[in-house]
Amino acid sequence: MLRHAASGYKRSSQLWLHRRCIHTNVIDTLRARHFVQAVTSDAITKRVESPVAVYCGVDPTASSLHLGNMVALMGLLHFSLAGHQAIPLVGNATGTIGDPSGRNTERVALDHQELATNVAGIEAQLIRFFDRGTQYALTRIPSLDPSSLKPVRVLHNADWYKGLGVLDFLGTVGRHSRVGTMMARDSVKSRLQSMHGISFTEFSYQLLQAYDFWHLYHHYGCRVQLGGSDQWGNITAGTDLIHRLPGAQTLKVSSESDNTSDEAFGLTIPLLTTASGEKFGKSAGNAIWLDEARTSPFDIYQFFIKTADTDVERFLKMFTLLPLPQIAQTIEEHTRAPHNFIAQKLLAAEVTELIHGTQGVQQALCATQVLFGNRQTLEAQKFTSKDFAAAFAHDQRMVEVARSCIIGKSVADIAVLLGSCKSKSEATRLVRGGGLYWNGAVVEDSKWVPSVEKGDFVGEGTVGIVRTGKTNYRLLRLLDS
C-alpha cells in the first residue's frame, strides 16, 4: 500500500490538500502552535505537501502516558489529521535499555512482568488517545473529512529485534556509527560530566533508536520522526544511519519500502514547561497522568484551571485543536477580565475532553461543583447519581452506604461515618463554631437528620456532601439495598 502511495507522490500537492480540506501545510500549523523546536532540514515543509508516514516513539517506563508525552503525541495527531500516516511506536525493546536523555542517573531496569504491564497500558492509551483525538477534532474542525484520515498504526520495536543477533547488529548498525559523533551528543556529554557517568548500555541507546528509524524508513515508508527537544541526538542518529546504511545491505528490507533516496527528516518539539521554566513529567516528579485511575478527569481539569496567564495562550495552542482566531479572541476577552478565568476554563474543558471524552468533562465539572460550589450551583447543574459515582469513582472521599443504614442518622452520625470527624462530640463542636457544612450550607444543629424525602440529598436524592473547614470534603452516596 505504501509502495503504491509513493508512486503518486508526484501528483499535484494542491489536489491532495484540496481533497482533505486542509488549507495549510502541517509544518506551518505546528509552527503557529509552538510545536517546532528544530528540524533537520527546512525541506520538510515541501515534503509534507504529499502524504508521508510519521512516527513518534514512547518507551514503556511507566504504565501510563503523561502530559510530557502528550505534547509530542499532539504533534503526531496534527500530522494524522492532515492526512498523513501516524505511527506511534511502543519501545518495548528500547524500554529494557533506558534512554539517558534528560537524566542525571541511569534508569532502574524493569523486570519482564513490569515491562509487559507497562507495554499493555501504553498501547491501550495510544489507541484511545488517537480515537478520542479524532472524535474531538471532528467537532472542532468543520472542514475535516474523516474519510481522508489513515488509520493510526501502533507498532512495537521489539518485533524487529527478534532474531537479530548482537553480531549482526554490530556488523551493520555499529559499523556505520562513529564513536566520536555518539560521544558528542548532549545526552552523552552531560552524563560523562556527571559523577555517575554513563553505562555502555545507555550509551548504546542512540543506536537502537537510530535503527528504529532506519527500519521504519525501509519497511513502512516512514520519512519523519517526531520527538521532544531532548531527543535531537537520537533523531539525528537515525537520519545519519539512513544516509550511511543502504537498505540492500545485510539487514533485510521489506519489499514495501519506498525510494531510499528520499530524504529522512527529524522534528523536535519543545519540552513542556511553564513560563517560569518548571518542567512537567515523570522524571520531574510532578507527572499529570493520562490514566484516569492515576490522575482523575477532575485533577486534569484543575491542573489546567490553575494555568498562569503567561502560559494559557501557549497551552491553548498546543493542547487543543481550537482555531487560532478563536484562541486569540478568548485571550482578548480574558485580558479584559482575567479574574473570570475565561481562558483557563476553556483550556481545562478542552483538554479534559480530548483526554477523557465528554464524559470526563462532565465528571470534572461535577467534582468541581462538589468541592468548590454551593447547594444552588449543584442543583442548577442537575448532576445525576451516576455523575457523582463516575466523578469520584477512584476517590476514597466517597463512601457508599445502603440507604436503609442511614435512616434516622443525624448529620453528626454521618460526619463520623464518613471520617469527617472522629466523634459525635467533635462534630457537635464544629457545628457550634459554624465549621460543618452539608451540601454547601452551614449546619446549625448537630442533631439534624437529613431526609431524602425533604430534598436534603442531591444527585437524584442519593448524595450528601459533608465539608469540615475549607477543604476537607466527604461524600455519602446512598445505594438501594
Side-chain angles (χ1 to χ4, degrees):
M1 177 179 177
L2 287 171
R3 181 176 66 252
H4 297 306
S7 66
Y9 280 171
K10 302 302 182 182
R11 297 176 184 175
S12 168
S13 61
Q14 291 300 318
L15 175 63
W16 181 79
L17 293 174
H18 176 73
R19 285 203 309 268
R20 286 154 178 78
C21 299
I22 300 297
H23 305 295
T24 57
N25 185 291
V26 66
I27 298 299
D28 294 334
T29 297
L30 293 176
R31 291 188 189 278
R33 290 180 175 269
H34 308 294
F35 276 98
V36 180
Q37 177 85 11
V39 293
T40 54
S41 169
D42 289 332
I44 189 175
T45 305
K46 180 68 175 177
R47 181 64 185 82
V48 299
E49 290 179 354
S50 299
V52 66
V54 186
Y55 101 92
C56 176
V58 180
D59 278 349
T61 55
S63 61
S64 172
L65 300 168
H66 53 74
L67 283 186
N69 302 128
M70 184 177 167
V71 178
L73 293 178
M74 284 297 294
L76 193 58
L77 179 62
H78 277 287
F79 271 96
S80 178
L81 297 175
H84 300 287
Q85 175 66 68
I87 303 176
L89 178 66
V90 181
N92 52 338
T94 44
T96 64
I97 302 300
D99 184 0
S101 302
R103 293 184 59 88
N104 297 322
T105 59
E106 186 160 354
R107 295 180 185 274
V108 177
L110 301 176
D111 60 43
H112 292 298
Q113 182 57 52
E114 186 176 8
L115 180 64
T117 299
N118 291 354
V119 168
I122 295 297
E123 180 177 15
Q125 281 193 343
L126 286 171
I127 294 171
R128 186 163 57 247
F129 174 82
F130 284 96
D131 283 346
R132 285 179 175 166
T134 301
Q135 293 302 314
Y136 168 81
L138 290 172
T139 64
R140 300 307 190 275
I141 308 175
S143 62
L144 184 63
D145 177 10
S147 66
S148 70
L149 306 182
K150 294 180 174 64
V152 173
R153 191 168 189 176
V154 180
L155 299 177
H156 300 76
N157 63 5
D159 291 343
W160 46 83
Y161 286 103
K162 293 176 181 177
L164 179 62
V166 63
L167 295 180
D168 289 334
F169 186 82
L170 291 176
T172 50
V173 177
R175 193 178 303 280
H176 290 84
S177 304
R178 295 293 174 263
V179 173
T181 303
M182 294 174 66
M183 294 186 67
R185 304 203 191 284
D186 290 340
S187 59
V188 174
K189 286 196 299 184
S190 62
R191 286 286 293 276
L192 287 174
Q193 295 168 0
S194 71
M195 61 180 293
H196 300 285
I198 185 170
S199 68
F200 176 77
T201 302
E202 289 199 338
F203 176 68
S204 65
Y205 181 93
Q206 57 186 292
L207 296 183
L208 298 176
Q209 186 165 329
Y211 180 58
D212 286 344
F213 198 0
W214 185 95
H215 183 91
L216 292 168
Y217 179 98
H218 289 289
H219 290 254
Y220 295 91
C222 184
R223 294 296 180 265
V224 181
Q225 180 182 175
L226 298 182
S229 58
D230 60 346
Q231 293 296 305
W232 178 258
N234 294 336
I235 292 174
T236 55
T239 57
D240 289 345
L241 183 63
I242 290 169
H243 175 72
R244 292 174 179 271
L245 178 60
Q249 284 194 12
T250 307
L251 300 178
K252 294 182 179 180
V253 179
S254 167
S255 61
E256 295 186 358
S257 63
D258 289 330
N259 184 356
T260 56
S261 66
D262 199 3
E263 186 176 356
F265 299 91
L267 185 155
T268 58
I269 297 172
L271 296 179
L272 179 61
T273 62
T274 64
S276 63
E278 182 183 5
K279 294 181 180 180
F280 294 99
K282 182 165 59 67
S283 298
N286 56 356
I288 302 297
W289 303 98
L290 305 194
D291 183 349
E292 64 182 15
R294 302 181 70 167
T295 301
S296 69
F298 165 74
D299 289 324
I300 290 276
Y301 185 89
Q302 287 300 315
F303 172 82
F304 283 102
I305 278 286
K306 297 173 184 177
T307 300
D309 288 343
T310 48
D311 293 318
V312 70
E313 181 177 8
R314 178 166 56 94
F315 284 6
L316 277 167
K317 291 179 179 179
M318 297 185 75
F319 286 107
T320 81
L321 296 177
L322 294 172
L324 295 180
Q326 181 180 348
I327 293 175
Q329 181 180 354
T330 299
I331 294 301
E332 184 178 337
E333 294 176 2
H334 174 74
T335 302
R336 290 197 296 267
H339 58 282
N340 290 329
F341 300 100
I342 296 173
Q344 283 88 347
K345 290 177 180 177
L346 177 63
L347 172 65
E350 291 291 310
V351 179
T352 304
E353 180 176 345
L354 175 58
I355 298 174
H356 295 298
T358 55
Q359 290 281 18
V361 178
Q362 181 75 353
Q363 294 171 25
L365 292 176
C366 176
T368 298
Q369 290 300 330
V370 166
L371 301 180
F372 304 111
N374 52 44
R375 177 65 182 262
Q376 287 70 34
T377 58
L378 279 171
E379 292 178 339
Q381 294 288 342
K382 300 186 183 302
F383 292 117
T384 66
S385 177
K386 290 183 178 179
D387 289 333
F388 283 98
F392 293 91
H394 303 284
D395 197 320
Q396 294 182 349
R397 290 175 295 187
M398 183 174 71
V399 177
E400 296 180 331
V401 178
R403 188 185 300 268
S404 59
C405 296
I406 296 299
I407 296 175
K409 296 286 187 181
S410 70
V411 68
D413 292 324
I414 294 174
V416 174
L417 174 67
L418 298 180
S420 298
C421 299
K422 294 180 180 180
S423 63
K424 290 180 64 174
S425 58
E426 180 185 352
T428 300
R429 288 194 298 272
L430 280 173
V431 170
R432 289 173 182 170
L436 193 145
Y437 299 77
W438 176 268
N439 289 343
V442 177
V443 176
E444 298 179 350
D445 182 0
S446 62
K447 296 181 180 179
W448 171 67
V449 177
S451 169
V452 173
E453 290 73 19
K454 294 181 180 179
D456 296 326
F457 288 78
V458 295
E460 301 172 318
T462 63
V463 176
I465 305 160
V466 173
R467 173 164 68 90
T468 57
K470 293 183 177 181
T471 59
N472 184 17
Y473 290 85
R474 295 290 188 276
L475 281 77
L476 170 68
R477 181 167 180 254
L478 304 182
L479 303 177
D480 293 326
S481 54

